[in-house]
């Protein structure tokens, strides 16, 4: 594959961010966009310079020029739309949260494997060079043995319709909690031994904020806070026996500040210049497709499933508390 032809399924805000990114990439061609309304697809194509606008998803997926489809619809439709892409043999980069629940994720990944079609989750921070750098800093022993971390992510999103509608899989957990959970599991691993949660509901029934505490077998802990009621500082703190790391913006790493046990700042590592940060997941997909792989090493299917199962477990705990 030389220049990859990327298609976008959906024409909302996150689709716009991807389009802004891809049009600046030399390795990828912004080939097609599809919306349920052709007029909307045409308007999107004109704004971002997309070559082929389509008024239906099926019509776009029949185009043999499509190399990769970015699914940018609400969480509630990820399973349906990603499965549709796979049925047409089109590789998929599916927005997070990957699906509404683990059962859907399992079925979707099994279907992709059966059809021999590539699919990966667009958890963009996992593909960033800064993620690898963070692991390297920790592995170097700069802050000693890691004993715990905290992280928060919050935006003022109560006015956003899809965020408060249960039928669109709204709520803070699937939109924001996936980031704090991915941050914690990136640093500490996937095998959580114990978990406690506390949640506050919106009038519509979706979660508007929650606290999640994770405990690992080795005694390491993580405290996570997600909210769609207010803007938070989005920081992550990683605590070690010899110091700590402050991470600016766990949602799109901006800088790492490394401190010793005397609270002295030893080093600040800034994020290298990038387009938006979305480009890394796109390039990872391109590389995987060129190598004939069915998943990305940066976001393996096993981890996607693990996170979805944790999300299911959290929601089950809410239900138990209610009863």
């Amino acid at each position: 594959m030389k220049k990859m032809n990327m298609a976008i399924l959906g024409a909302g805000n996150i689709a716009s961010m991807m389009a802004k990114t891809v049009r600046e990439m030399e390795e990828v061609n912004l080939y097609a966009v599809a919306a349920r309304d052709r007029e909307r697809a045409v308007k999107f194509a004109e704004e971002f310079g997309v070559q082929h606008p389509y008024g239906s998803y099926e019509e776009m997926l029949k185009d043999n020029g499509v190399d990769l489809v970015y699914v940018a619809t609400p969480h509630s439709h990820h399973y349906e739309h990603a499965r549709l892409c796979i049925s047409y043999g089109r590789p998929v980069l599916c927005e997070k949260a990957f699906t509404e629940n683990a059962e859907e994720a399992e079925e979707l990944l099994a279907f992709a494997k059966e059809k021999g079609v590539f699919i990966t989750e667009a958890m963009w921070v996992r593909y960033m060079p800064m993620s690898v750098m963070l692991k390297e800093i920790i592995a170097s022993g700069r802050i000693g043995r890691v004993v715990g971390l905290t992280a928060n992510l919050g935006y003022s999103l109560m006015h956003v319709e899809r965020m408060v509608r249960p039928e669109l899989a709204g709520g803070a957990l699937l939109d924001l909690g996936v980031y704090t959970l991915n941050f914690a599991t990136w640093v500490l691993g996937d095998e959580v031994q114990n978990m406690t949660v506390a949640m506050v509901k919106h009038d519509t029934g979706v979660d508007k904020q929650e606290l999640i505490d994770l405990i690992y077998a080795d005694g390491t802990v993580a405290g996570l806070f997600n909210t769609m009621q207010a803007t938070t500082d989005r920081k992550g703190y990683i605590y070690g026996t010899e110091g700590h790391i402050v991470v600016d913006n766990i949602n799109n790493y901006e800088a790492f500040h490394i401190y010793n046990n005397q609270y002295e700042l030893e080093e600040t590592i800034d994020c290298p210049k990038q387009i938006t940060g979305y480009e890394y997941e796109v390039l990872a997909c391109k590389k995987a497709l060129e190598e004939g792989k069915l998943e990305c090493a940066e976001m393996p299917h096993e981890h996607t499933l693990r996170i979805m199962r944790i999300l299911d477990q959290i929601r089950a705990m809410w239900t138990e508390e209610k009863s």
Side-chain angles (χ1 to χ4, degrees), residues 168-233:
L168 293 179
L173 185 65
L174 289 186
D175 221 82
L176 307 173
V178 288
Y179 284 112
T180 54
L181 283 167
N182 266 282
F183 178 73
T185 54
W186 179 249
V187 175
L188 303 178
D190 283 350
E191 298 308 315
V192 177
Q193 186 179 64
N194 194 21
M195 179 166 57
T196 59
V197 298
M199 179 269 285
V200 180
K201 272 190 177 182
H202 186 273
D203 292 342
T204 62
V206 304
D207 60 297
K208 58 184 179 181
Q209 64 182 17
E210 58 261 337
L211 294 167
I212 304 170
D213 293 326
L214 310 177
I215 301 176
Y216 287 77
D218 63 356
T220 309
V221 299
L224 314 176
F225 171 55
N226 318 302
T227 182
M228 64 183 195
Q229 293 189 103
T231 300
T232 68
D233 60 19

Side-chain angles (χ1 to χ4, degrees), residues 67-295:
D67 295 319
L68 176 71
V69 181
Y70 171 60
V71 173
T73 50
H75 314 313
S76 53
H77 291 69
H78 286 177
Y79 173 83
E80 174 192 349
H81 294 154
R83 187 179 177 88
L84 182 65
C85 293
I86 293 165
S87 70
Y88 279 90
R90 305 299 175 207
V92 182
L93 171 62
C94 184
E95 254 309 327
K96 55 81 199 160
F98 190 64
T99 52
E100 278 197 66
N101 52 58
E103 183 179 0
E104 285 188 351
E106 289 165 2
E107 289 179 6
L108 188 58
L109 292 176
F111 184 60
K113 184 177 181 180
E114 175 192 334
K115 297 295 183 181
V117 177
F118 170 91
I119 186 169
T120 194
E121 183 180 3
M123 177 48 67
W124 62 325
V125 290
R126 285 261 171 169
Y127 301 85
M128 293 175 180
M130 288 285 277
S131 287
V132 177
M133 191 181 301
L134 182 59
K135 277 278 191 74
E136 290 174 346
I137 293 168
I138 294 169
S140 73
R142 288 284 298 274
I143 62 168
R145 179 176 61 84
V146 172
V147 299
L149 63 78
T150 60
N152 72 78
L153 189 61
Y155 297 99
S156 181
L157 298 170
M158 298 292 282
H159 62 286
V160 179
E161 186 181 11
R162 73 167 182 84
M163 292 295 294
V164 300
R165 289 176 58 183
E167 67 271 25
L168 293 179
L173 185 65
L174 289 186
D175 221 82
L176 307 173
V178 288
Y179 284 112
T180 54
L181 283 167
N182 266 282
F183 178 73
T185 54
W186 179 249
V187 175
L188 303 178
D190 283 350
E191 298 308 315
V192 177
Q193 186 179 64
N194 194 21
M195 179 166 57
T196 59
V197 298
M199 179 269 285
V200 180
K201 272 190 177 182
H202 186 273
D203 292 342
T204 62
V206 304
D207 60 297
K208 58 184 179 181
Q209 64 182 17
E210 58 261 337
L211 294 167
I212 304 170
D213 293 326
L214 310 177
I215 301 176
Y216 287 77
D218 63 356
T220 309
V221 299
L224 314 176
F225 171 55
N226 318 302
T227 182
M228 64 183 195
Q229 293 189 103
T231 300
T232 68
D233 60 19
R234 304 176 299 181
K235 289 185 183 292
Y237 293 82
I238 304 169
Y239 303 102
T241 55
E242 303 297 329
H244 68 277
I245 302 169
V246 180
V247 178
D248 288 346
N249 193 0
I250 63 159
N251 189 37
N252 185 7
Y253 299 137
E254 295 171 7
F256 302 145
H257 309 283
I258 306 171
Y259 291 83
N260 61 28
N261 271 352
Q262 285 70 52
Y263 305 102
E264 298 167 335
L265 178 63
E266 292 189 337
E267 185 179 7
T268 291
I269 301 172
D270 292 313
C271 177
K273 186 178 179 181
Q274 59 186 23
I275 301 172
T276 62
Y278 279 32
E279 63 266 35
Y280 302 116
E281 61 189 2
V282 176
L283 290 173
C285 289
K286 184 175 186 294
K287 181 175 183 290
L289 288 170
E290 288 172 343
E291 294 175 351
K293 295 180 179 177
L294 298 180
E295 62 184 320

Side-chain angles (χ1 to χ4, degrees), residues 46-64:
E46 290 173 348
E47 182 178 356
F48 297 107
V50 184
Q51 291 178 339
H52 303 284
Y54 290 100
S56 81
Y57 302 149
E58 292 84 355
E59 188 182 1
M60 182 182 75
L61 296 173
K62 290 176 184 176
D63 187 335
N64 289 325

